[in-house]
């Protein structure tokens, strides 16, 4: 367990009668970039949200960096953590959504420093220095005073990435971060993610960008109907998928 950044054992999640995750077994090593692909409704985004306890799992176990997600174990029993402890652990996991979710009344820098100051109680001057550094890291050093409505979609998504990085996470989760962007803006966001991977950030990425998965991913997981159908090295899987369902899906997206 201690060797894995993410360890999922037989994770189930249902919404009413619909079983969205049907026993997910998966491991993500430190510094690994895992890409999750599959049709809409296959459970990819739900699994991502389970990793940081935005969704509670119904069965199984999930660990991040050796600690159970959302629970503590005493003997054979699981006890749900309180909201404060869940928030503290969630602050160690960065998440970037399809939509940027920036505060419209705050500048780029204010958006980036909000969580470190409010959630972590950081000194504002320290947070501002790191916030500037994070915006520089995503190529937006000249946009620190700009408001979201003054930024393109790609720039807003890069602010969202800087905001997640400002919390100094041990793990980054990306939920289709380029799907809401105009095609010409996708490259800038993927470049930032590519650099994060080179810097050794552990990442789990739900994506439709097969080129990114092939070039940057260390592992590729194809999900459908709440199960893992096939997993392997991205180049091998994309070039020669073994499962008929994977072949059918890739034939439509490649």
């Amino acid at each position: 367990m201690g060797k894995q950044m993410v360890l999922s054992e037989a994770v189930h999640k249902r919404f009413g009668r619909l079983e969205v995750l049907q026993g997910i077994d998966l491991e993500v090593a430190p510094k690994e970039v895992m890409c999750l692909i599959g049709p809409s409704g296959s459970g990819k985004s739900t699994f991502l949200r389970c990793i940081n306890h935005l969704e509670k799992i119904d069965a199984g176990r999930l660990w991040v960096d050796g600690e159970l997600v959302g629970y503590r174990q005493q003997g054979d029993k699981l006890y749900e953590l309180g909201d404060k402890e869940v928030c503290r652990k969630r602050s160690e996991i960065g998440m970037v959504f399809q939509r940027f979710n920036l505060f419209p009344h705050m500048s780029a820098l204010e958006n980036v420093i909000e969580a470190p100051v409010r959630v972590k109680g950081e000194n504002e001057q320290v947070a501002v220095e790191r916030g500037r550094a994070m915006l520089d890291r995503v190529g937006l050093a000249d946009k620190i005073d700009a408001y979201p409505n003054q930024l393109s979609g790609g720039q807003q998504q890069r602010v969202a990435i800087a905001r997640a990085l400002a919390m100094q996470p041990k793990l980054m989760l990306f939920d289709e971060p380029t799907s809401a962007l105009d095609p010409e803006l996708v490259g800038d966001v993927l470049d930032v993610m590519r650099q994060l991977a080179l810097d050794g950030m552990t990442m789990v990425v739900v994506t439709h960008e097969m080129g990114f998965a092939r070039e940057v991913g260390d592992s590729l997981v194809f999900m459908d109907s709440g199960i893992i159908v096939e997993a392997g090295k991205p180049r091998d899987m994309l070039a020669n998928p073994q499962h008929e369902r994977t072949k059918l899906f890739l034939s439509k997206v490649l």
Side-chain angles (χ1 to χ4, degrees), residues 7 16 46 62 79 97 117 123 126 128-129 162 170 200 229 243:
L7 177 59
T46 298
L62 251 176
Y79 296 91
F97 300 87
V117 172
N123 175 279
V126 172
V128 165
E129 286 178 12
K170 58 179 71 171
V229 177
H243 197 284

Side-chain angles (χ1 to χ4, degrees), residues 100-111 140 143-157 159-160 185:
F100 327 121
N101 299 332
L102 299 178
F103 294 114
H105 61 289
M106 293 183 178
S107 69
L109 182 60
E110 287 168 338
N111 266 284
L140 293 174
K143 300 292 185 183
I144 60 171
D145 295 321
Y147 287 85
N149 66 1
Q150 298 172 313
L151 300 171
S152 70
Q155 289 170 332
Q156 289 184 62
Q157 191 61 296
V159 172
L185 302 177

Side-chain angles (χ1 to χ4, degrees), residues 195-207:
Q195 189 57 53
L196 281 180
L198 290 172
D199 293 343
M201 176 63 76
T202 310
M203 297 158 60
V204 183
V205 185
V206 174
T207 186

